[in-house]
Amino acid sequence: MSGPNLNGTSTRARIEKTAQMHIEPASDEMVDVVDSKAVMHRTLLEQPLRVVGSEGLYLHLENGQKFLDATGGPAVACLGHNNPIVKKAIMDQLDKVAYVGTVFYSTSAAEELCSLLVRGTNGAMSRAFICNSGSEAAEAAMKMARQYFVELEGPATKRHRFISRKQSYHGTTLGALALGGHVMRRKIYEPMLSPGISRVSPCYAYRGKTEGESDEAYVTRLAEELDAEFERVGPESVCAFVAEPVVGAALGCVPSVPGYFAAMRRVCDKHGALLIADEVMSGMGRTGYLHAWQSPLVNTAPDLQMIGKGLSGGYQPVAALLVSPKVVNVLTKGTGAFSHGQTYQAHAIGCAAAAAVQKIIMEPNMMEHVRKMGAALEKGLRERLADKWYIGDIRGAGLFRGIEFVMRKDDKTPFEISRQVASGVHKLGMQEPYLISLYPGIGTVEGLAGDFVLLAPPYTVTLGDIATIVEKAAHTINTYFEREFPSGE
């Protein structure tokens, strides 16, 4: 029953009146009072460029400039900007329902997305947990791994630890940050981070392999290091080993060498631990395969997999945890539930957007196209940059390419941190006449020094687009070093 309020009007009457109200659009005067400085931007010292439009590879700025978005943000916009198919899917879902509480309800959008994701793994995964960011996916993976062992071995299980890798990045929330090894992002939060995580060396051939060492010998050495770490912390205490098939923001598109993941899988199996693949940045087609672990270089399915950026292409904030039948079966026979949940998980509009993106990515020949365009991008970058004294390494897979800068080519000496080389290259690219985004990073050497930029254009690029990207990127990089280091080394 609707009761009267203090003014004598029933609640129901007020609701009906509100529903019938005609809302006038904001006037120009109202818009003018917007304070752009009210936003807590990533830096408080300068205002970021304001984007007012977008199309395909390009972002249109308020000042009239047209930027070539060669990175899709941090490898997010995998289909470019303003895709009409994805926009329509979002609007169609809005006409049905925007949000439901997943404790009580499901939607066809969520079910369609999860079906697409599971089908794309060819049986390696059987369930998908949809969340909103890569950090959330990492948190869910850690909790899922712990719960798996609680249900498999009982509440008294000792398994609570994780082993990850140095110079890794798995997210920005406290659990995910603790899991990663990104020194600078962890630094001020160290006292708050879980001590139950240890790290081994990454698979980083450019700096990790010794002179004359074969891939096979390198993999054997890394496997022995991981095995020794299990023994050091107590194998019965470890839930999982976590690694990125292609390292993104922490090392700049570093791919695993052949046989690495298979060897890590064997070590995990030996000690009864799970293998978790972080494909938040490198997954969903970015490397030229729907999942990076499906590539010939990796060819090893994980037990749990985190995906994110390329999942919805930036059209909605969507990420996911993919769960193997091995893990699902243990939970099904146990409590029958995942002891974890979030208000906005499996959000209907996000799922609709992601499903539309995935349908395009899964179209015949799309992955072949990504591999072809990726090879052209690598070839162009090598032709324009490889012989320069300041280029240490050009690497990556598919449309995920990194360029590492060095002060000396022969011994791979990095630039001093204070020079902020990668940041300088990026800032120059943001200026006329370059107008190209080059994603900067630092930390390839001990997590502190070592500069790089990465490129991650959309999967829909053409050979003409690749030529433009190579020209603008090379022009920006070469000009930066000519200006900053006029006498060379």
Side-chain angles (χ1 to χ4, degrees):
M1 177 180 292
S2 299
N5 65 11
L6 295 179
N7 296 319
T9 305
S10 72
T11 301
R12 178 172 295 172
R14 286 189 297 117
I15 292 173
E16 291 174 350
K17 182 178 179 181
T18 301
Q20 296 169 2
M21 288 175 62
H22 174 68
I23 307 298
E24 294 290 343
S27 65
D28 291 340
E29 289 78 11
M30 290 177 67
V31 173
D32 287 342
V33 304
V34 172
D35 181 5
S36 62
K37 293 182 180 179
V39 180
M40 188 71 179
H41 291 296
R42 296 196 181 208
T43 173
L44 302 178
L45 303 180
E46 58 185 39
Q47 286 291 106
L49 302 173
R50 182 181 292 167
V51 177
V52 297
S54 63
E55 184 176 5
L57 271 168
Y58 292 90
L59 297 174
H60 301 276
L61 304 187
E62 185 180 43
N63 62 10
Q65 291 178 327
K66 182 180 176 183
F67 258 84
L68 198 167
D69 185 10
T71 68
V76 172
C78 60
L79 296 182
H81 302 283
N82 227 345
N83 184 287
I85 296 174
V86 184
K87 288 166 61 178
K88 183 177 185 301
I90 291 171
M91 295 306 298
D92 287 348
Q93 184 59 45
L94 271 171
D95 287 337
K96 298 174 185 175
V97 62
Y99 168 79
V100 296
T102 53
V103 174
F104 312 108
Y105 310 104
S106 180
T107 63
S108 59
E111 291 166 4
E112 180 181 34
L113 174 60
C114 292
S115 296
L116 286 168
L117 294 177
V118 167
R119 190 161 64 245
T121 68
N122 297 319
M125 301 291 164
S126 61
R127 300 282 179 133
F129 175 87
I130 309 299
C131 50
N132 307 294
S133 71
S135 297
E136 290 180 16
E139 300 280 345
M142 296 174 74
K143 293 175 79 171
M144 178 69 81
R146 165 66 181 174
Q147 185 177 342
Y148 168 80
F149 285 106
V150 169
E151 303 216 10
L152 180 68
E153 301 177 353
T157 181
K158 296 180 180 179
R159 294 188 187 267
H160 67 284
R161 300 185 61 91
F162 291 84
I163 302 174
S164 63
R165 304 191 300 185
K166 301 169 186 175
Q167 294 126 300
S168 62
Y169 181 64
H170 300 296
T172 191
T173 51
L174 289 177
L177 195 61
L179 188 64
H182 198 294
V183 175
M184 287 180 286
R185 297 191 189 191
R186 289 170 54 97
K187 188 174 181 180
I188 66 172
Y189 303 109
E190 285 285 356
M192 303 169 66
L193 302 181
S194 169
I197 297 163
S198 58
R199 278 161 284 279
V200 293
S201 300
C203 184
Y204 181 16
Y206 175 65
R207 291 191 179 275
K209 287 177 68 174
T210 60
E211 186 70 28
E213 187 175 34
S214 66
D215 284 347
E216 293 79 4
Y218 182 43
V219 167
T220 298
R221 179 159 59 86
L222 292 175
E224 290 173 349
E225 181 185 353
L226 178 60
D227 186 64
E229 184 61 16
F230 268 98
E231 294 294 346
R232 187 187 73 82
V233 300
E236 72 286 349
S237 71
V238 179
C239 290
F241 171 62
V242 186
E244 302 157 272
V246 182
V247 185
L251 284 178
C253 305
V254 171
S256 307
V257 301
Y260 170 79
F261 260 82
M264 301 305 109
R265 163 101 266 175
R266 289 191 292 271
V267 175
C268 289
D269 290 347
K270 172 184 174 181
H271 297 293
L274 299 179
L275 175 64
I276 301 177
D278 181 347
E279 294 200 15
V280 169
M281 202 169 194
S282 64
M284 308 320 297
R286 176 56 62 188
T287 65
Y289 296 87
L290 189 58
H291 303 287
W293 60 260
Q294 293 174 330
S295 73
L297 285 179
V298 182
N299 196 29
T300 303
D303 297 303
L304 298 171
Q305 178 187 354
M306 296 121 68
I307 55 176
K309 302 179 188 301
L311 179 53
S312 69
Y315 286 91
Q316 288 288 301
V318 187
L321 173 66
L322 302 184
V323 189
S324 67
K326 168 182 171 180
V327 176
V328 170
N329 290 342
V330 168
L331 269 63
T332 301
K333 294 174 182 177
T335 61
F338 180 23
S339 184
H340 177 66
Q342 294 167 289
T343 300
Y344 288 106
Q345 72 183 66
H347 192 277
I349 296 175
C351 287
V357 169
Q358 291 310 303
K359 288 176 185 177
I360 297 172
I361 291 175
M362 292 178 181
E363 288 179 356
N365 304 318
M366 177 62 87
M367 290 298 94
E368 181 182 354
H369 179 75
V370 171
R371 294 193 293 272
K372 181 180 177 181
M373 293 300 102
L377 178 58
E378 180 184 28
K379 182 175 183 289
L381 292 173
R382 289 190 180 280
E383 288 175 350
R384 292 295 303 274
L385 294 169
D387 63 343
K388 304 297 183 182
W389 66 263
Y390 39 83
I391 302 297
D393 192 29
I394 298 173
R395 67 240 181 174
L399 287 170
F400 198 39
R401 300 287 165 173
I403 305 166
E404 183 167 348
F405 306 120
V406 291
M407 191 163 65
R408 288 196 299 273
K409 219 177 178 75
D410 56 353
D411 62 4
K412 306 174 185 178
T413 299
F415 288 95
E416 295 178 357
I417 299 172
S418 60
R419 295 303 296 259
Q420 298 187 346
V421 167
S423 178
V425 171
H426 162 74
K427 288 178 179 178
L428 181 62
M430 300 291 278
Q431 301 172 22
E432 295 273 11
Y434 314 99
L435 299 183
I436 182 174
S437 64
L438 299 169
Y439 191 92
I442 190 169
T444 63
V445 181
E446 301 299 328
L448 296 171
D451 295 87
F452 63 86
V453 295
L454 64 81
L455 295 162
Y459 307 163
T460 51
V461 289
T462 65
L463 285 174
D465 295 329
I466 293 295
T468 301
I469 291 169
V470 168
E471 170 59 31
K472 282 181 169 287
H475 186 202
T476 302
I477 292 168
N478 291 333
T479 301
Y480 171 82
F481 283 98
E482 289 166 5
R483 290 182 182 179
E484 295 296 315
F485 304 91
S487 60
E489 301 178 62

